[in-house]
Amino acid sequence: MRWKFAPPLTAFAVLSLLMLGGCGGGDQPTATEATASTGVGLEGSLQSGGGRTPVSEPTFIEVGKAPEGIAYASGSVYVANVGGNSVSVVDTAGNKTVATITGAKRPTSVVASPDETRVYVSVLGKKTVAEIDTKSNTIIRRLPGNGGQLAISPDGRWLYQSPGAAGVSRTDLGSGTARELPGTDRTTVYAVSQDGSILYAQRVDSGDNNSLQPHLVRLRATDGTVTRDTPLIADTLWSFAGDMLFDPEFGYLYVSMQGMNDGFSGVSGTTVQRYDPTTLELKGTYDAGRDREVNVELGP
């Protein structure tokens, strides 16, 4: 699905999939939930003023059980089905699933290499990262992993996994070796700056009244040092970042904030926030709807 954001004077396309059924994070759908949690949808646009105008009527595409992470590559969207132990390949021209990749037990996060020849999938069940060739749609390599969120550097050299046992893990995709970035516990990296030097992440700290306070942080990619830290604007005590996107063309950082009803019983609403990536100043907020999870990816 595509969202269109319109920063001042310009616009760019963002591809996003709505996850139906609320069965993410490794939860297994029941028999009655399975039908409602095996689809992804296409719809909508967001304007700089905060309004929401549909591009077309929603188109729902059948994938696997409990779709979670998504990534766009080579004309297809790759969807990790955490409840189906598979990765669905959706053709964006025909809006249909054209392939199903197996051999990934409880896949979660998905990222594509900058040249779109590879897709990396975090496999929670085996604590590995599956490397998929987008031409053959087969798994060609398995890397050490922790089942967490993935982010990749714009040059395609570094893969970031978080949170690990001791924090964010940085993997050299050439050699396959990984190391932990010190002091990055409770930190989840979602996006990388265009030059690869800065990581954009959420760090969750304890707040008042037994609440949890999410922070938007900038980290140095080489050693994990925090260079900027600001509290994320949350609608409820249970609002957290679900995804981030750095747009190199217009220089904005987009954060998908997902509010939970009470921390346990599903998504109550989603906003997409636009930040200055240097100062981390909030520049705009867009309503992305209720009862859905939204991931954001740049489309073609």
Side-chain angles (χ1 to χ4, degrees), residues 129-150:
V129 173
E131 181 177 338
I132 296 173
D133 177 81
T134 58
K135 185 176 181 179
S136 63
N137 284 330
T138 58
I139 297 173
I140 59 173
R141 181 170 62 152
R142 296 184 188 273
L143 298 163
N146 56 39
Q149 178 70 35
L150 299 180

Side-chain angles (χ1 to χ4, degrees), residues 72-74 112-120 134 152-156:
Y72 174 87
S74 301
S113 63
D115 63 5
E116 300 183 10
T117 63
R118 299 287 186 270
V119 165
Y120 298 91
T134 58
I152 194 168
S153 62
D155 63 3

Side-chain angles (χ1 to χ4, degrees), residues 23-289:
C23 297
D27 295 336
Q28 300 294 320
T30 66
T32 56
E33 292 172 331
T35 300
S37 63
T38 58
V40 292
L42 304 183
E43 67 169 333
S45 69
L46 296 175
Q47 307 296 332
S48 58
R52 182 171 181 267
T53 304
V55 172
S56 61
E57 289 300 314
T59 300
F60 298 104
I61 303 167
E62 189 77 8
V63 291
K65 291 182 180 179
E68 180 126 341
I70 63 170
Y72 174 87
S74 301
S76 297
V77 171
Y78 291 77
V79 183
N81 306 308
V82 66
N85 298 325
S86 64
V87 177
S88 296
V89 184
V90 177
D91 173 36
T92 58
N95 288 337
K96 63 180 180 180
T97 298
V98 294
T100 300
I101 303 169
T102 59
K105 185 178 180 181
R106 298 179 68 195
T108 54
S109 180
V110 189
V111 295
S113 63
D115 63 5
E116 300 183 10
T117 63
R118 299 287 186 270
V119 165
Y120 298 91
V121 181
S122 185
V123 182
L124 180 62
K126 292 184 177 295
K127 296 293 190 293
T128 60
V129 173
E131 181 177 338
I132 296 173
D133 177 81
T134 58
K135 185 176 181 179
S136 63
N137 284 330
T138 58
I139 297 173
I140 59 173
R141 181 170 62 152
R142 296 184 188 273
L143 298 163
N146 56 39
Q149 178 70 35
L150 299 180
I152 194 168
S153 62
D155 63 3
R157 179 181 178 183
W158 302 103
L159 184 71
Y160 298 90
Q161 302 181 60
S162 52
V168 178
S169 175
R170 187 180 195 230
T171 301
D172 185 328
L173 289 174
S175 65
T177 58
R179 69 179 181 89
E180 300 280 351
L181 298 182
T184 55
D185 59 307
R186 298 174 288 107
T187 302
T188 303
V189 174
Y190 290 94
V192 186
S193 65
Q194 182 64 14
D195 64 4
S197 66
I198 298 296
L199 308 178
Y200 296 100
Q202 174 179 246
R203 191 188 71 239
V204 179
D205 294 332
S206 297
D208 297 331
N209 300 319
N210 296 318
S211 66
L212 297 175
Q213 173 61 59
H215 288 248
L216 176 61
V217 295
R218 280 170 41 109
L219 311 171
R220 280 206 301 258
T222 53
D223 59 13
T225 299
V226 175
T227 62
R228 183 77 64 173
D229 181 333
T230 188
L232 279 164
I233 306 301
D235 295 329
T236 71
L237 292 177
W238 295 99
S239 291
F240 302 96
D243 200 12
M244 297 183 191
L245 168 71
F246 176 75
D247 174 46
E249 185 173 357
F250 300 110
Y252 289 111
L253 178 70
Y254 292 87
V255 180
S256 169
M257 291 292 292
Q258 299 169 4
M260 308 302 287
N261 293 326
D262 57 10
F264 303 99
S265 62
V267 179
S268 63
T270 298
T271 58
V272 179
Q273 300 175 353
R274 177 162 58 95
Y275 286 87
D276 182 305
T278 301
T279 65
L280 301 188
E281 179 183 357
L282 181 65
K283 294 296 186 179
T285 299
Y286 311 93
D287 180 13

